[in-house]
Every structure is written in C-alpha cells, then in structure tokens.
Amino acid sequence: MEKEINKKTLTQLAKGLRQGQFSSEELTQYYLERIDLFNGKINAFITVTREEAIQQARAADKALAAGKSGPLTGVPIAHKDIFCTRGIKTSCGSKMLDNFISPYDATVVKRLKDAGAIMVGKTNMDEFAMGSSNETSFYGPVHNPWDHDRVPGGSSGGSAAAVASKLVSAATGTDTGGSIRQPAAFSGVTGVKPTYGRVSRYGMVAFASSLDQAGTLTQTAEDAALLLESMAGFDRRDSTSLNEPVPAYYDAIHEPWQNLTIGVPDNFFDEGLDPDNAQAVKDALKIFEKLGAKIKDVHLDHLDLSVPVYYVVAPAEASSNLSRFDGVRFGHRSKNVKNLNEFYMQTRGEGFGAEVKRRILTGTYVLSAGYYDAYYLQAQKVRKLISNEFMRIFSEVDLLAGPTTPTPAFKIGQKTDNPVEMYLNDIYTIGAPLAGLPALSVPCGLVQGLPVGLQLIATHLDETRLLKAAHYFQKETDWHLHIPPGYDERER
Amino acid sequence: MEWEVVVGLEIHVQLSTESKIFSGSSVRYGAPANTQANLVDLGYPGVLPVLNQQAVHMAIKFGLATQSEISARSVFARKNYFYPDLPKGYQISQYELPIVRGGHINISLDDGGNKTIRITRAHLEEDAGKSLHDDFHGLSGIDLNRAGIPLLEIVSEPDMRSALEAGCYMRKIHTLVRYLGISDGNMQEGSFRCDANVSVRPKNEDKLGVRTELKNLNSFRFVEKAIDFEVERQISVLEDNGQVVQETRLYDSEKNETRPMRGKEEANDYRYFPDPDLLPVVIDKNLIDQLRRELPELPDDKWERFVAEYKLSPSEASVLISNQASADYFEVVAEASSGRAKTALNWMTGSLAAALNREDLAIEKSKVDPIDLATLINRTEDGTLSSKLAKTVFEALWEGEGTTDEIIQTRQLQQITDSNAIENLVEKVIGAHPEQAEQFRSGKNKVLGFFVGQVMKACEGKANPEQVNSIVRSMLKAQ
Amino acid sequence: MADVLAKLSDIVGLVSQLEAEDTTDVVPMAHPLDQTQKLRSDQITETDEHQLYQKNAPLVEKDLYLVPKVIE
C-alpha cells in the first residue's frame, strides 16, 4: 500500500478516513496483512479477529459515507487480552482462560466500539498482568520489534510491540505498577496511564484493584488524547470510577504552550540508571527548558520503599482477585480429581504459571493472621506516606519527570531467574499507581539502537497538562517517529 | 457442681430488597436454578460490585431500632475462603468497621422480669449460593440464585443464660425485623437463620468456657432444643473430666442431637482485608434523621401502648404484637368498635383464629375484614343482633355473603326486642306446652330453661335472650 | 512448585524492608483517592441469561454447576 499507512498516526488515520483518502476496509486489510507477515516473529497477538474486523470495517465505511461517523470511526486498534470482549476469546495470557469466550464487553471496549474503532485482535500479555517483560504468558513471550532477542516490556508487551511494529495503529493496555509505561519505553511508543478511577475497570480482569488502570499504547500523545476522550468517564458499574467530566483532551493539548515547573527527582539518577539512558532523559529535559519550562530538583524520600509496598499490596489484592478461577463456572478445570480439595488444587495448579503462583502465595502470606499488621497494614500506611509526599511535591511543581526505566530492554530470559531483580526494575513507575496519579512515557532516545523513555507524572485528574507537555515534546522531537529496523514498509 | 449456661446468637437476616446487595439481580425466592445469577453474582472475570442503597437504609433502621451506634463511616471487607457456593472465592462482608455497633434488645422472661441482651454489632454482607446434594453421579450441583442476596448479620453478646432466653431473644429480633419491614423473617425459605454459640462454666466463674457453634437451627423450637442438648452434652463431658472441643456442630432435629460438622468451617484464616472494589460508606446525620422519621411504631412501644390504651394484660398484649398483622388487625377492630378491646381480642383468639387455622391462612388473608368484625361487635352491643347469632353472622362474613349489616338485613337477623312481640311468642309457647307449664306451677323452676329454648327456637334465635328470659319467667309466674 | 517456593524467601526479604519505617499515626491507604461509595438504587436491572453464561461452564447439568461432592 503506497499510502505510507505505517507512517501515519491514529489521528492522521482518523482524519484520512473522514477525508476519504482510504477506506476502513483498506486500512483493516493492510494491518491484517502486516499481522500475517510479522506476528510470527514477535508474537504480539493471541487472537486475530479477522472476519469480525472486516465486517466492522465495512460498517464503518458505510457510516463514513453517510456522514455519521464518530471520532474513531474506521480506525483499527487492538485490545490487550485482559479486556473482556463479547463473543471473543479473552485469555489474560493464561492457560486458566485459554477456553474462555467472554459473554460481555468491557466498558473500555464498548466505548471505543461506540466511538467507531475497529478491533483487529487481542494482544499478548504477561499472565494476568503479572510481569514486566511479557515472558510469563501461556502463549509464549513477545519479542521486541527493535531486537527480537529482547523483551518488549510488560505486562502490556503485546500491545506495545504491536503498535511499535505497526501491526495496528493503537492498542489498549493496563498499568498497575508500570505495565503500560515500561513496555512503551522499551518498545519506543507512547504509553499513558490515567488517574486512578478515570477510566472504568468494569470488564478489565482485575489484578490489583486499587492500582489497576486502563490506558493506551499509541505512536503519539495526540493519539492517546483522542483515545482517552472516548475511553474515560464515569461508569456506574465501577464503584471506584470517578464522577468527573472528561475534558476535551484532544483540543486542549493543541492550546498554546503555558510555562510550567517540572520537578526531577534527583534520586532517580542513581547508580542503577544506565548512563546513556540518563543522558537521553537529560537531553529531553533540555527540550522542555527550551519550550520555557522551569526544571527543578526534587527528592523522593520514600522512593526505595515503593517497590516493597507495591509487592505487598498488589499480590495481596491479586491473591484474592484470582480466587474466582476455580474451574466451576468457566475456565480451565482439572480432570480426574478425587475430591473437592484436589479439584481446587489441581485446577489452579495446572491453570496458573509460576509467577502468578508466586504472587498468590506472597499475597496470601502478607494477609495471613499474624503477618497482616506487619506487612499488609504497614504497606498501606507507607503507601499513604508515599502519596502524601507526592501531594506535597505537586504543590511546588506541575509535573514530575525522569526516566521510565533504569535501562533499555533486557534480553529474554535474562531476569527470569531472579524475580526480585525484575521487581526492582519497576522502581520509577511504581510510585504513580500507588498514589493514583496519571503518568506517561514518551520515546526520548535510542541507546545502542534500543528505545528509552521519558516519564512524566502529573497530579490527580491533570491529564490535560500531562498530555499537552508530551505533545509539545513530540512537536520538537522525532523519537516517536522512528520505526524498528525491518518494519518499515519499504523493507518488507 | 452448679453450671451456668452462656449463649450468644448470630442471626443472619435476608433483607427484603428488590435486588441483590451488589448487583441488580432479582432476589425472588424459588426461581429456577441459576436464572437469577448475573455476571457479578457469578464472579466472572472483570466484574465489580455496586452497593444497594436500600440494604444500607435497612441496616440503619435496624440500628436505630436497637439503640445502636450507626457508623458514620463503614467499610466492606473480603472474607477469603474456597467453597463451591462462593463464586469469587471470597465473601464481601464487613469486619473492622461494621455499619451498626452496640445496641440492645429487651426480652421478657417467664417470671415477668425483663432482661437486656446487648447487641455487639450488625453488619451487611452477601449471601452465598446453594449446594444441592441430589446425586449427580457423585457430584454436587451449585445454584447461585442466592449468591449476592443481602444479609444483615446480627451478633449478640453472650448475654443469654438459658435456651429459653435465647428463644426469647430470637423471637424478639424476628418480630422486630418484620415490623421494620426489612425482612419477611421466613425461616422455611431461609430468610432468617440462626447460629448459636454455646458454652458452660461453673457458677460464679468469670472466665468463659470453651464454646461450640451450633448451626442449622431453622425454627425457634429447634434453637431451644439444640441449646438444651448441647448444654447437657458439654456438662457431661466436663463432669467426666474431659475438655469441650471448640468446633462447629450441626443440629439434627430428628434425633435431637448435635454432631460435629465437617467441611468449610474448619480452622480458617479468612485473611480479611478492606475490599478495594468498594469505597467507604459514609452516612450523614441527615440520612439517619430521615430514616428515623420513617421508622414504624416498634414492638415494645406498641406493647406499652396496648397495655395502657386498651387495658390488655401483658401477655394478651404480647400475643398480639408478636405478629404485626395481628396487632394492626386488632387496632382496626378496637378503634372501630369504640375501644372494645377485650371483645375484639376474644373474637380474634376465638372464631377468627379457628377459621384461619381451619383454612391454614395467615391473618393478612383473613376473609373477615376487621371493619366488618368491628361492626359485628357494635351490632351485638347495641342490640341490633342477638349475641347468640353473632357467630352465625361471623361465619356468613367468612363465606363472603356481604358486610355485617347486609347479612343481618338479608337474613332478617335483627334482634327482636319488642316486648309485645316477645310476649306473643311466649304466650304461644306456653300454650303449646301445658305439661311443662304445669311443672313450673308445681315448683320445678328448671323448666324455665326449656321454655326459653323453645321461644328462641320459634324465633330462630333472634329475640333478645335477656328479655326472653325475664318475660318467660314473669308470664309463667303469672299463670 | 519448588521453583516457585525457592524465590519466595527473596520476595519476603524484599518486603520486610517495610518494617523499619515509622508509621505511627498514619492512616492506612486502602484507596488512592479520597472517594466514598456511591449507592445504587434498589431495582432489578438484570434479565436471565444463564444459557449464554453456561456456555463457558465446564460441567453443567439441569442448569446447575457440578462440582465434586460437597460434604457438610
């Protein structure tokens, strides 16, 4: 297809469709062909919904012709396989749900469908969103399009890789401790996690309920703004959903630049951070200075405690959330069991992978009598301290900035033997979900040919400022336009 | 050795909302299996609970009616354990911050005294599904219609000292929740379930003995019998120098014994923690005041009023108020019959009770309207109807022949009070029975009753019995 | 399973770092934002879709979910 589709952002595709530059069916076929061509190498998709996508595309073309289109009509996107999609397999990257066809659509799925988006498939992910490398999936690891021997990040690795390799223009993801931002950084795309409660969790299979948020993996912040406008908003089916109006993000980020103060935590820049990665981030900050922002050093006293807090709270909630997977009403069920006890143990033993089991055990442990106070309760208290600290800092700065990850993507298999080492990689991204803050990652450089990301964090419900800063950064830079070698159309 | 019995009750009350506590599914009893279990009730991946306002209001009303503290801020917690009738693998309940705390109920003891039973707490939670054990080739079948029905768990302090006191308390709570309109209290359908914690200790000992939990007590009688059995059992264990094992026991009503229960209740650490899918419930004073204004007259207050206003005896009042429908029925009758409370009560415990029992009806379904009964009483008192015919009219009312006045009219049952008319009747009867008349003249006064009976027969019971009596007497004397 | 258990003590070691932190008078944070529960009006909003749902059920008979015998 000579129209250089793979160079177009979601925003441009939506416009192009409305202007009749191409049809939704053409676009959809284009992406489906790329998926056929490349998915074998990167394993970004668990399910490709070919027939449904073509049908939806045809309907979209009719709507476009009739002038009855929405903001996303005809644009092909993918959903992380953690979102329930009616009539379509929803696996959460797990054997436990390998045979599960969801009878309902998640609110996020429904809203994007109502806005006109076409779903081409469900993307691969760490099992039940537990992981930072997309290596724990029952369906095999996802390979980073930038280097197939490396991880794309996780748990939304499939979504990040699919967008990076232009198998789809955008994808949904979920972020609990960094699962959108970290894969965005590793894969060279833009990943946005909104304020807790901004986007409905109904239909998004729960990992850690007080941390989970649905968000986007896209090429640009502008694309993210467009998607979020349709995704966000109060949902009465989700008690934790915020009853706040959704700003017109897309228009808002195009408003004139307003100066702001950006705080940079000095303790992000410690020995753990790869020097080239650090440099890329520092260079990125200079762009903001050029735009007129004031850069200010801040210090996060509780940074080191954020990882332990997360690895108490998240597994605790997850251990309970995953109890419903018992083979009674849906999902994997073990055969040849002699009694009820065996039924539970074997079904869950067979259905869950090692990392999920580790987290369930950890979670059960920290909630158990005798340990609850020392671990769970204490973690929730430290969480309050972490949150208070962020609130104090946001009274002095408008945004926080820093690296998204300590290094670029590591090799597949490199960290699987050492879970704690893997966990410590989340150090920069874990704070925002603990405090419920919105945060994003944008590509800000290449280190030895691998993307690295700049993270921005804002205060509650300040997505507009967050997205706008990222958008203006992307107007000044072109990191987000880089395509992984081998994925540029002309090289097919 | 003298032993003291210590009992605390945990009562689970199904709240009579329209929909479930965390989903919009129906709570109607008896629906076909799994037809009232939606995705939230089934614990499907991705679903979330949303709290039913009416359940909260009902809990608050219970708290207000028992002088409890309503928590300004209460929290839902997850009680984690695996069981097939528990779809999510946890029950959403309340742990550290229940919605209702403290409070008490007064019970009347047999000796006429009163006792206060303290309520520790009452909290909201969701009911579990049901396991059906009809054989499915060695498997059990799970019906989740009941999963998610709102429950109010009411926990008492261990203040009861006998099975009878426990029965009293249970009945009091039962009456109260029905008065409040928060539950139908139907024990057969499982809307009102009671577990008892029972222990014994030497008299005058402060320390509590080891307690067992008795389950499957679905009638007032069974609660009392189960506690009695368990107390005997524990005492004999201890008198044999044994130890009471802390365990859960099921009551077998056929054998009248308790036995240990296997299964889910074994030493569980429920790993309670605040449910992250639900936010703290904040209750402000305005809501509490509004709900307080909506409270109906409570059983104790009604009891006092009945004794004072209608001059009923304590036990008469107790019988009436134990069933709110009866109390209401009574009041309508009493008010409409100018406060003839005792008469109303007699009718209710006499003819009305008999008719209701005969047809196995609850008083709400009485075929005699309280206004009609009041009219019946009034007509009897004002002389329109002979008291001998009152029962006949009652039966006619029951058969639906019309209102009291219509029946009296149609059947021409008006009482004959005209002396001349009665005299004529008496004259005829005396004339028709010369032998008996002669017997009277010769001193056999008992024959008076015969003549009265004959007169009543002749007029089909319509003549005023007192007048007949006195006219027969005077005419016989005047012979 | 041995693999799973082996790593657990490392994880416990990681989280034990929390014990040292002074949290006197700190209110535990169960939810990141200061929200309170919205109440739902008491209405029946669901219809019976058990046939659709039970398509996913591994073992169903007479509309009941079957499990190994539950002993009371």
Side-chain angles (χ1 to χ4, degrees):
Chain A
M1 184 167 217
E2 316 81 49
K3 297 171 189 180
E4 296 208 316
I5 298 298
N6 67 339
K7 296 243 180 358
K8 293 202 190 300
T9 66
L10 177 142
T11 306
Q12 290 163 339
L13 289 177
K15 274 206 191 97
L17 283 164
R18 281 196 293 276
Q19 289 164 2
Q21 285 172 29
F22 31 72
S23 71
S24 175
E25 192 169 346
E26 279 180 81
L27 263 193
T28 304
Q29 287 288 16
Y30 172 79
Y31 284 117
L32 288 171
E33 277 167 29
R34 279 186 72 88
I35 291 171
D36 282 343
L37 208 52
F38 295 115
N39 192 48
K41 286 208 191 81
I42 58 175
N43 199 21
F45 281 87
I46 293 174
T47 303
V48 179
T49 49
R50 177 175 305 275
E51 280 79 41
E52 293 88 345
I54 303 281
Q55 266 176 38
Q56 286 174 24
R58 288 183 184 152
D61 284 329
K62 285 207 181 86
L64 285 159
K68 288 196 182 133
S69 55
L72 298 169
T73 303
V75 180
I77 64 167
H79 285 295
K80 181 174 180 178
D81 211 12
I82 199 171
F83 291 100
C84 288
T85 43
R86 188 184 170 113
I88 306 288
K89 167 172 164 166
T90 299
S91 75
C92 297
S94 179
K95 178 173 173 179
M96 190 58 95
L97 291 178
D98 180 44
N99 62 359
F100 179 67
I101 309 287
S102 175
Y104 76 113
D105 274 336
T107 299
V108 160
V109 170
K110 183 174 185 306
R111 288 186 178 174
L112 287 170
K113 195 188 285 187
D114 289 344
I118 311 287
M119 174 173 79
V120 296
K122 309 293 292 296
T123 58
N124 203 344
M125 51 181 283
D126 276 308
E127 186 181 3
F128 284 109
M130 300 186 198
S132 317
S133 62
N134 219 136
E135 292 175 283
T136 68
S137 169
F138 175 62
Y139 302 96
V142 173
H143 298 256
N144 193 322
W146 290 86
D147 177 343
H148 293 157
D149 292 333
R150 292 182 186 263
V151 303
S155 59
S156 311
S159 287
V163 173
S165 57
K166 315 293 178 189
L167 300 193
V168 78
S169 69
T172 53
T174 61
D175 191 312
T176 304
S179 291
I180 284 176
R181 294 160 287 152
Q182 184 249 33
F186 280 6
S187 304
V189 300
T190 301
V192 178
K193 182 202 91 69
T195 307
Y196 182 81
R198 177 79 282 189
V199 179
S200 169
R201 289 187 300 116
Y202 186 78
M204 190 176 115
V205 181
F207 159 22
S209 317
S210 76
L211 298 163
D212 293 345
Q213 254 303 270
T216 59
L217 285 304
T218 57
Q219 195 177 0
T220 64
E222 192 184 38
D223 293 348
L226 195 57
L227 281 176
L228 279 171
E229 243 182 77
S230 292
M231 284 164 74
F234 178 63
D235 180 6
R236 60 182 171 74
R237 289 188 192 270
D238 174 1
S239 294
T240 60
S241 148
L242 292 171
N243 196 359
E244 297 285 335
V246 179
Y249 294 128
Y250 183 81
D251 288 340
I253 64 174
H254 291 104
E255 302 272 297
W257 172 262
Q258 277 174 316
N259 279 330
L260 40 73
T261 305
I262 300 180
V264 180
D266 55 16
N267 44 350
F268 273 4
F269 292 83
D270 64 0
E271 326 77 59
L273 177 60
D274 173 289
D276 293 326
N277 199 332
Q279 191 55 50
V281 171
K282 288 190 178 132
D283 292 342
L285 292 171
K286 295 205 182 77
I287 305 280
F288 283 104
E289 275 182 307
K290 196 180 112 193
L291 284 167
K294 186 162 150 247
I295 309 293
K296 180 181 161 151
D297 265 350
V298 298
H299 186 80
L300 291 173
D301 290 327
H302 295 96
L303 179 63
D304 288 338
L305 288 178
S306 47
V307 172
V309 167
Y310 178 85
Y311 282 100
V312 168
V313 173
E317 294 180 5
S319 68
S320 180
N321 284 329
L322 264 54
S323 294
R324 67 192 63 201
F325 300 106
D326 57 11
V328 176
R329 303 164 309 294
F330 48 78
H332 176 72
R333 178 183 178 117
S334 183
K335 311 236 189 305
N336 305 322
V337 291
K338 291 200 275 300
N339 55 46
L340 197 58
N341 223 24
E342 238 176 66
F343 171 74
Y344 283 125
M345 301 227 315
Q346 277 175 218
T347 293
R348 291 165 62 82
E350 290 164 13
F352 291 136
E355 182 60 29
V356 168
K357 284 179 184 152
R358 256 195 293 276
R359 300 217 192 174
I360 291 176
L361 286 170
T362 306
T364 307
Y365 178 71
V366 302
L367 288 175
S368 57
Y371 298 101
Y372 178 89
D373 285 354
Y375 290 118
Y376 185 78
L377 196 60
Q378 178 71 347
Q380 295 286 47
K381 290 180 178 178
V382 178
R383 182 178 181 177
K384 186 78 172 124
L385 292 177
I386 291 172
S387 175
N388 289 346
E389 179 169 52
F390 275 114
M391 295 299 100
R392 264 197 313 276
I393 291 178
F394 277 114
S395 66
E396 297 166 28
V397 305
D398 300 307
L399 292 177
L400 287 173
T404 308
T405 58
T407 66
F410 44 86
K411 282 200 191 292
I412 292 176
Q414 183 179 339
K415 296 195 195 258
T416 45
D417 275 348
N418 196 335
V420 173
E421 200 189 312
M422 183 85 83
Y423 298 165
L424 289 169
N425 264 279
D426 296 334
I427 183 108
Y428 304 134
T429 52
I430 265 180
L434 288 178
L437 300 168
L440 56 74
S441 176
V442 287
C444 71
L446 286 171
V447 169
Q448 279 148 24
L450 297 169
V452 289
L454 167 77
Q455 183 183 205
L456 297 175
I457 307 172
T459 194
H460 297 127
L461 289 174
D462 208 10
E463 281 82 358
T464 301
R465 196 191 322 252
L466 190 68
L467 291 165
K468 188 170 168 192
H471 173 65
Y472 271 83
F473 177 79
Q474 288 178 336
K475 289 212 290 194
E476 301 292 321
T477 60
D478 68 357
W479 298 112
H480 57 286
L481 298 174
H482 289 240
I483 298 178
Y487 290 89
D488 192 314
E489 193 163 52
R490 281 186 290 270
E491 292 171 41
R492 193 178 350 158
Chain B
M1 167 79 92
E2 268 207 79
W3 296 97
E4 182 175 51
V5 175
V6 176
V7 177
L9 292 187
E10 278 171 26
I11 298 178
H12 287 88
V13 177
Q14 267 186 0
L15 297 176
S16 51
T17 53
E18 295 286 316
S19 63
K20 294 187 178 180
I21 189 172
F22 296 118
S23 81
S25 299
S26 166
V27 300
R28 191 176 59 82
Y29 183 81
N34 287 309
T35 55
Q36 287 176 182
N38 79 340
L39 294 170
V40 175
D41 309 324
L42 291 170
Y44 253 61
V47 299
L48 296 168
V50 187
L51 181 58
N52 183 331
Q53 177 184 72
Q54 184 70 305
V56 174
H57 290 185
M58 288 179 167
I60 293 173
K61 284 185 178 171
F62 179 81
L64 290 173
T66 52
Q67 265 65 251
S68 307
E69 187 193 316
I70 312 293
S71 297
R73 192 181 158 88
S74 72
V75 167
F76 282 96
R78 294 187 183 179
K79 179 179 182 181
N80 295 280
Y81 64 95
F82 284 100
Y83 207 66
D85 65 8
L86 195 66
K88 295 187 292 295
Y90 60 86
Q91 177 197 30
I92 301 178
S93 176
Q94 294 191 293
Y95 186 57
E96 283 174 341
L97 289 175
I99 187 167
V100 167
R101 279 182 287 188
H104 59 266
I105 283 276
N106 291 323
I107 60 174
S108 321
L109 304 173
D110 276 352
D111 62 11
N114 268 332
K115 183 167 176 171
T116 299
I117 307 292
R118 294 167 301 165
I119 292 173
T120 317
R121 53 186 274 155
H123 68 253
L124 287 168
E125 60 184 26
E126 56 179 350
D127 210 344
K130 279 199 185 138
S131 316
L132 286 118
H133 304 303
D134 319 325
D135 218 347
F136 291 94
H137 6 275
L139 301 170
S140 295
I142 307 292
D143 174 12
L144 294 169
N145 280 350
R146 203 180 66 171
I149 290 189
L151 293 177
L152 184 68
E153 179 176 332
I154 303 166
V155 181
S156 82
E157 293 285 338
D159 286 350
M160 288 155 267
R161 294 288 171 271
S162 69
L164 272 179
E165 284 184 14
C168 268
Y169 169 81
M170 189 177 163
R171 284 180 175 81
K172 205 65 189 284
I173 298 279
H174 188 253
T175 302
L176 182 59
V177 299
R178 280 153 55 240
Y179 264 67
L180 290 170
I182 67 178
S183 174
D184 64 18
N186 187 325
M187 283 182 268
Q188 277 65 48
E189 291 182 358
S191 315
F192 192 87
R193 317 198 286 253
C194 186
D195 298 336
N197 290 312
V198 181
S199 67
V200 298
R201 65 185 173 193
K203 213 150 177 91
N204 297 322
E205 167 74 54
D206 277 335
K207 192 158 154 277
L208 289 169
V210 173
R211 67 164 201 247
T212 59
E213 186 182 9
L214 306 181
K215 284 181 115 65
N216 196 31
L217 309 169
N218 53 20
S219 80
F220 300 122
R221 247 181 74 243
F222 290 166
V223 168
E224 290 172 17
K225 290 173 79 147
I227 293 173
D228 278 334
F229 175 88
E230 182 62 14
V231 163
E232 289 303 311
R233 186 191 75 84
Q234 288 192 12
I235 289 175
S236 68
V237 163
L238 292 169
E239 285 184 341
D240 269 350
N241 288 317
Q243 308 243 26
V244 172
V245 175
Q246 181 173 347
E247 61 190 350
T248 305
R249 298 174 73 89
L250 278 182
Y251 176 66
D252 182 333
S253 53
E254 275 173 45
K255 296 190 184 151
N256 189 30
E257 63 181 25
T258 67
R259 50 167 199 277
M261 180 177 163
R262 286 178 292 164
K264 66 170 149 174
E265 298 300 326
E266 303 310 337
N268 259 313
D269 173 10
Y270 294 116
R271 302 189 301 282
Y272 284 99
F273 70 103
D275 192 327
D277 290 330
L278 291 163
L279 301 167
V281 181
V282 163
I283 296 169
D284 71 28
K285 200 175 166 303
N286 290 330
L287 176 63
I288 295 179
D289 289 341
Q290 176 207 320
L291 291 173
R292 188 180 278 120
R293 283 193 293 274
E294 288 176 21
L295 289 178
E297 184 182 34
L298 298 179
D300 283 355
D301 296 329
K302 200 186 281 285
W303 184 90
E304 279 181 24
R305 189 167 63 77
F306 275 17
V307 167
E309 266 183 44
Y310 297 112
K311 310 282 186 272
L312 296 175
S313 77
S315 56
E316 284 171 345
S318 293
V319 166
L320 278 176
I321 62 135
S322 70
N323 179 336
Q324 191 173 23
S326 296
D328 292 344
Y329 191 101
F330 165 79
E331 272 215 274
V332 174
V333 176
E335 289 303 307
S337 63
S338 315
R340 295 199 165 92
K342 294 279 185 186
T343 315
L345 190 59
N346 286 338
W347 274 104
M348 286 179 68
T349 54
S351 298
L352 180 60
L356 291 170
N357 280 337
R358 200 175 61 226
E359 294 188 25
D360 199 21
L361 292 173
I363 197 168
E364 293 90 323
K365 299 274 196 279
S366 166
K367 295 184 182 173
V368 173
D369 186 272
I371 296 284
D372 281 330
L373 180 55
T375 311
L376 178 54
I377 292 172
N378 290 337
R379 296 291 169 266
T380 316
E381 295 293 321
D382 71 18
T384 313
L385 183 69
S386 159
S387 55
K388 300 257 187 250
L389 289 176
K391 271 205 178 134
T392 311
V393 174
F394 182 89
E395 294 304 328
L397 281 170
W398 187 268
E399 295 306 317
E401 280 183 29
T403 64
T404 304
D405 287 331
E406 282 167 5
I407 292 168
I408 293 175
Q409 188 62 36
T410 313
R411 289 208 195 178
Q412 296 283 311
L413 297 176
Q414 293 85 341
Q415 187 168 231
I416 301 171
T417 50
D418 173 27
S419 313
N420 287 326
I422 296 178
E423 280 169 17
N424 285 337
L425 272 175
V426 173
E427 220 186 297
K428 283 206 183 96
V429 166
I430 293 178
H433 298 98
E435 296 131 50
Q436 287 83 349
E438 175 56 42
Q439 282 172 5
F440 185 82
R441 277 197 297 275
S442 50
K444 244 191 168 173
N445 290 342
K446 277 199 186 141
V447 121
L448 187 86
F450 169 77
F451 278 105
V452 169
Q454 288 300 309
V455 169
M456 294 304 270
K457 209 166 123 193
C459 69
E460 293 172 312
K462 293 179 202 170
N464 178 296
E466 287 78 35
Q467 282 178 275
V468 167
N469 218 297
S470 92
I471 291 175
V472 164
R473 190 188 295 274
S474 60
M475 286 182 76
L476 278 175
K477 278 198 179 132
Q479 287 178 94
Chain C
M1 196 57 181
D3 167 55
V4 172
L5 291 172
K7 313 285 175 19
L8 272 185
S9 56
D10 291 341
I11 298 172
V12 174
L14 167 71
V15 304
S16 297
Q17 291 170 41
L18 292 172
E19 290 174 62
E21 185 72 5
D22 177 15
T23 52
T24 327
D25 295 334
V26 180
V27 177
M29 178 180 241
H31 301 98
L33 272 64
D34 218 352
Q35 305 160 267
T36 56
Q37 180 67 30
K38 294 168 213 54
L39 301 178
R40 192 190 98 235
S41 140
D42 183 23
Q43 280 164 14
I44 299 171
T45 56
E46 303 297 315
T47 53
D48 171 25
E49 293 210 71
H50 77 278
Q51 271 162 353
L52 171 63
Y53 304 155
Q54 289 185 344
K55 282 193 189 149
N56 272 308
L59 196 55
V60 164
E61 203 174 293
K62 298 196 188 137
D63 289 342
L64 295 166
Y65 297 97
L66 298 191
V67 298
K69 208 149 181 65
V70 169
I71 307 164
E72 293 260 286

